[in-house]
């Protein structure tokens, strides 16, 4: 679990559990912070959200134990140390100003969850193996960091609480050093930058526009040894002007021994200030807690969003709480999209970038899209503000763009995109299930077209575009366990054939798919029509299976479809 660097110990008297009380915590006049922002600092290993509040809870203080609650002090996040994890505790805490309650690691009963929903408070539990002191320290650190971003007064020398954000710090440092500033993480991604003047050099513009240092520039920094020197040096480094590239100063931002990132100052049409290096040293100290906050927020937010998205798409846990964690209103129109590429083991191209192309396209044009990757599959949740009908059209337009992006990119394996129906967040799992069926139907449709020598069909569709194949797959999925548990001559024949290579199953599939047209089926199998006729006759004479009997024909058709169709994931 992440904790804040050099965080002072909580003040107040310790409880028997080792957690200090909130005696010195700010009162209700202190700057508030949203519960969602506090949870963004936590990676899900210490706290589990069970019930979301109505709207976003506003937290002003952390209280430890029921005795630390008092009416008239709203906005309290209660750590229910020593209290029973029951509905009475939740109701009493809500009446005394609690907006969120953290219970012990024992899972609460359903009536406790109902009480939290009725009271409009958030309900969380402490994960096993995590102590109350650790939870209190994490939440107090998160509250301190959240508050640090609310006041934009003062100057650089007043400390980190005077700098609300990395962007504000970049602007302030630029004014002191008389140049341009970029603040980057250890992956050389630009987290903040000062305003770009008319005389900014091309490299700075490329870095800002691209959101990171270009690969060619990284290679150059590695060759020159500057990157190695930056990560090991304790002071400001100077890089003199070179051709069109102006002079630069750079300093690493550290928290103890750990390097968090770097601050770069570039001359912007004029020489840097004589004391620019001194200001960069000060800025590095001020940037450290902000970079820690950025790292914690990024890690915690990503982890919680992924868990919430997975729960929403797969119908796990409380859907309303998952939607709250994703920042979705209960009536927001949502549609699931499932993208699956040709499996890596059978991909025809060695350098496959298909799913990466999709993720990049989404990041560029739909930054709020929820994305889950599982092997060769992406699950997407596309949300919007329009009506359901308008959102359905918008989703199909996005999917068309994604299909075009993959199709036009070299070295990309085929990708099929199935679109689920639009509905509120609580029905996202149903949309996901339908999107999976559509995607599977598209793959089967393409396989049949290839076998028949027909043109390749579209690789994206919604349920309407996929036609009857979606319902057929749904029925086949339901019938599969019944077939697999069955017995009799047809079952024995099919099982023996599949064990021997499946020639009969392939023959039956082609025969039934072509409506019993021997010539067309033989063409698909690349055999002589007489060969196919002989196989059918052999079924009757040697195996005692009459393909003209309606029930037998149904079993054989079902067996062939189940054997050639991919099972549900």
């Amino acid at each position: 679990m992440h904790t804040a660097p050099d965080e002072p110990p909580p003040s107040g008297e310790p409880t028997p559990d080792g957690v200090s009380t909130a005696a010195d915590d700010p009162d209700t006049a202190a700057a508030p912070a949203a519960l969602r922002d506090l949870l963004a600092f936590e990676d899900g290993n210490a706290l589990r959200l069970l019930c979301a509040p109505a709207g976003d809870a506003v937290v002003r203080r952390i209280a430890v134990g029921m005795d630390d609650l008092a009416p008239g002090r709203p906005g309290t996040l209660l750590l229910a140390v020593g209290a029973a994890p029951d509905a009475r505790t939740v109701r009493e805490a809500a009446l005394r100003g609690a907006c969120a309650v953290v219970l012990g690691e024992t899972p609460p009963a359903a009536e406790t969850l109902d009480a939290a929903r009725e009271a409009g408070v958030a309900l969380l539990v402490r994960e096993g193996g995590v102590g109350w002191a650790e939870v209190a320290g994490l939440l107090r650190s998160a509250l301190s960091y959240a508050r640090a971003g609310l006041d934009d007064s003062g100057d650089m020398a007043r400390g980190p609480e005077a700098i609300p954000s990395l962007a504000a710090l970049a602007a302030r440092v630029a004014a002191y050093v008389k140049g341009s500033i970029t603040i980057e993480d250890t992956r050389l991604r630009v987290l903040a930058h000062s305003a770009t003047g008319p005389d900014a050099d091309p490299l700075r513009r490329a870095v800002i526009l691209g959101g990171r240092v270009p690969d060619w520039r990284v290679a150059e920094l590695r060759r020159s040894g500057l990157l190695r020197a930056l990560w090991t040096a304790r002071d400001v480094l100077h890089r003199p002007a070179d051709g069109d590239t102006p002079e630069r100063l750079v300093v690493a931002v550290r928290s103890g021994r750990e390097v968090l990132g770097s601050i770069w100052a570039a001359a912007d049409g004029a020489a840097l200030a004589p004391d620019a290096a001194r200001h960069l040293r000060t800025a590095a100290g001020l940037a450290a807690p902000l970079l820690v906050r950025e790292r914690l927020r990024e890690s915690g937010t990503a982890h919680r969003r992924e868990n919430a998205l997975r729960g929403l798409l797969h119908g796990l846990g409380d859907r309303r709480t998952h939607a709250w964690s994703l920042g979705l209103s209960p009536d927001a129109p949502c549609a699931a999209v499932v993208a699956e590429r040709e499996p890596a083991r059978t991909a025809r191209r060695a350098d496959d970038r298909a799913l990466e192309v999709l993720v990049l396209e989404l990041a560029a044009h739909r930054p709020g899209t929820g994305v889950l990757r599982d092997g060769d599959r992406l699950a997407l949740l596309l949300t919007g503000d329009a009506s359901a009908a308008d959102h359905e059209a918008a989703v199909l337009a996005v999917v068309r763009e994604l299909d075009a992006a993959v199709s036009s990119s070299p070295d990309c394996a085929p990708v099929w995109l199935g679109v689920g129906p639009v509905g509120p967040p609580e029905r996202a799992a149903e949309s996901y299930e339908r999107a999976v069926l559509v995607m599977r139907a598209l793959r089967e449709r393409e396989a049949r077209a290839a076998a028949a020598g027909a043109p390749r069909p579209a690789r994206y569709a919604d349920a309407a575009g996929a036609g009857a194949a979606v319902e057929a797959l749904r029925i086949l999925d339901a019938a599969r366990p019944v077939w697999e548990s069955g017995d009799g001559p047809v079952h024995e024949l099919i099982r023996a054939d599949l064990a021997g290579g499946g020639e009969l199953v392939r023959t039956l599939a082609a025969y039934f798919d072509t409506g019993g047209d021997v010539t067309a089926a033989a063409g698909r199998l690349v055999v002589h029509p007489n060969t196919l006729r002989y196989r059918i006759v052999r079924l009757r004479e040697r195996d005692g299976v009459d393909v003209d009997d309606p029930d037998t024909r149904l079993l054989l058709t079902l067996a062939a479809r189940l054997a050639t169709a991919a099972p549900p994931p």
Side-chain angles (χ1 to χ4, degrees):
M1 190 192 74
H2 300 294
T3 56
D6 303 322
E7 182 69 22
S11 55
E13 296 298 323
T15 67
D17 297 83
V19 188
S20 60
T21 65
D24 292 338
D25 279 355
D27 59 17
T28 54
L35 176 63
R36 201 190 311 274
D37 290 339
L38 299 191
L39 294 180
F41 290 95
E42 198 274 314
D43 58 8
N45 292 324
L47 294 170
R48 180 156 45 97
L49 180 66
L50 298 181
C51 176
D56 200 357
V58 175
V59 179
R60 296 180 181 274
R61 61 191 294 268
I62 310 295
V64 178
M66 297 293 291
D67 293 340
D68 197 29
L69 289 174
R73 302 185 74 184
T76 299
L77 191 158
L78 171 67
L79 305 183
V81 178
D86 56 20
R88 181 180 177 181
T89 295
V90 172
R91 292 192 185 99
E92 184 180 351
L95 288 174
R96 295 167 64 178
C99 62
V101 179
V102 181
L103 300 176
E105 56 190 81
T106 303
E111 63 179 16
T112 306
L113 288 169
D114 292 339
R117 293 190 183 99
E118 292 171 5
V121 301
L123 189 63
L124 304 96
V125 292
R126 175 171 54 96
E127 294 286 15
V130 180
W132 281 115
E134 190 174 1
V135 171
L138 182 146
L139 289 172
R140 283 178 174 143
S141 296
L143 186 56
S144 297
Y145 279 124
R147 283 175 175 155
L150 299 175
D151 182 14
D152 191 20
S153 61
D155 55 30
M156 283 177 53
R158 286 183 54 187
E161 68 280 359
I163 308 296
S165 64
L166 289 171
L169 178 62
R172 196 162 299 175
V173 178
Y176 279 90
V177 303
K178 309 300 182 186
S180 297
I181 296 294
T182 54
I183 302 176
E184 302 168 8
D185 63 10
T186 53
R187 288 184 282 175
L188 302 184
R189 297 181 304 172
V190 177
L191 303 179
H193 61 87
S194 61
T196 302
D199 297 323
D201 62 284
L203 175 59
R204 172 175 164 78
R205 292 183 183 277
V207 169
I208 292 174
L209 289 174
R212 59 168 293 117
V213 178
D215 291 340
W216 65 266
R217 174 66 168 173
V218 175
E220 178 186 294
L221 294 175
R222 291 185 188 282
R223 285 194 302 270
S224 67
L226 182 62
L227 272 186
R228 189 183 308 109
L230 174 61
W231 303 142
T232 57
R234 291 282 178 173
D235 204 355
V236 177
L237 301 180
H238 177 257
R239 186 177 178 111
D242 182 15
D244 294 334
T245 304
E247 69 168 325
R248 277 174 166 76
L249 295 177
V250 58
V251 64
V253 179
R254 300 174 183 276
S255 175
R257 294 184 177 181
E258 184 181 9
V259 177
L260 303 173
S262 58
I263 303 178
W264 295 74
D268 199 357
L272 294 171
D275 56 352
R278 177 173 65 84
H279 292 304
L280 275 191
R281 293 186 197 100
T282 302
L286 297 176
L290 297 174
L291 282 171
V292 168
R293 182 171 70 182
E294 187 75 20
R295 180 177 292 184
L296 289 174
R297 186 188 300 276
E298 184 178 272
S299 173
T301 298
H303 188 85
R304 283 193 173 275
R305 283 185 63 85
E306 179 178 339
N307 285 343
L309 182 60
R310 191 176 300 279
L312 206 58
L313 291 177
H314 295 284
L316 306 173
D318 186 79
R319 300 180 184 185
R320 178 176 175 273
T321 298
H322 294 325
W324 181 89
S325 296
L326 294 169
L328 300 176
S329 64
D331 57 350
C334 302
V337 177
V338 172
E340 187 168 284
R341 71 172 186 180
E342 184 176 327
R345 64 181 179 275
T346 60
R348 293 186 292 272
R349 302 169 179 86
D351 182 20
D352 179 65
R353 303 183 301 114
L355 299 187
E356 288 78 6
V357 167
L358 293 183
V359 172
L360 289 172
E361 284 289 314
L362 289 166
H365 303 295
R366 300 276 303 194
T369 301
V371 180
L372 286 178
R373 178 161 186 177
D374 185 12
D376 295 322
R377 177 178 294 181
L378 284 181
L380 316 174
L381 185 65
L382 299 179
T383 61
D385 301 320
S387 66
D390 291 340
H391 188 57
E392 183 176 348
V395 169
L396 285 173
V398 170
V399 170
R400 278 194 296 270
E401 293 173 3
L402 295 178
D403 176 71
V406 173
S407 301
S408 62
S409 298
D411 302 322
C412 282
V415 172
W416 295 267
L417 295 132
V419 183
V422 174
E426 66 179 17
R427 301 190 65 179
E430 299 171 30
S431 181
Y432 173 77
E433 290 176 2
R434 186 54 59 99
V436 171
L437 286 172
V438 172
M439 181 273 301
R440 291 170 57 200
L442 292 175
R443 297 194 65 160
E444 287 202 6
R445 176 189 291 178
E446 182 166 339
R448 288 201 190 95
R456 179 180 68 81
R459 286 184 172 142
Y460 68 90
D462 57 7
V470 172
E471 286 304 307
L473 279 174
R474 199 167 66 86
I475 293 171
L476 286 172
D477 289 345
R480 186 180 296 275
V482 178
W483 164 263
E484 291 176 348
S485 65
D487 201 0
V490 173
H491 287 78
E492 293 174 3
L493 175 65
I494 296 299
R495 287 168 183 153
D497 178 70
L498 290 175
E503 179 185 82
L504 174 61
V505 166
R506 289 191 294 274
T507 298
L508 290 172
Y511 183 70
F512 293 137
D513 281 351
T514 57
D517 187 326
V518 172
T519 302
R524 288 194 182 189
L525 296 169
V526 196
V527 298
H528 193 278
N530 287 339
T531 300
L532 192 143
R533 291 189 183 95
Y534 169 73
R535 292 175 183 175
I536 300 298
V537 170
R538 189 174 58 181
L539 273 175
R540 292 190 181 96
E541 296 179 352
R542 190 191 70 179
D543 301 311
V545 175
D546 183 6
V547 296
D548 293 328
D549 176 71
D551 293 332
T552 301
R553 191 182 186 94
L554 176 61
L555 284 178
L556 290 171
T557 304
L558 183 62
R561 285 297 306 272
L562 289 174
T564 55

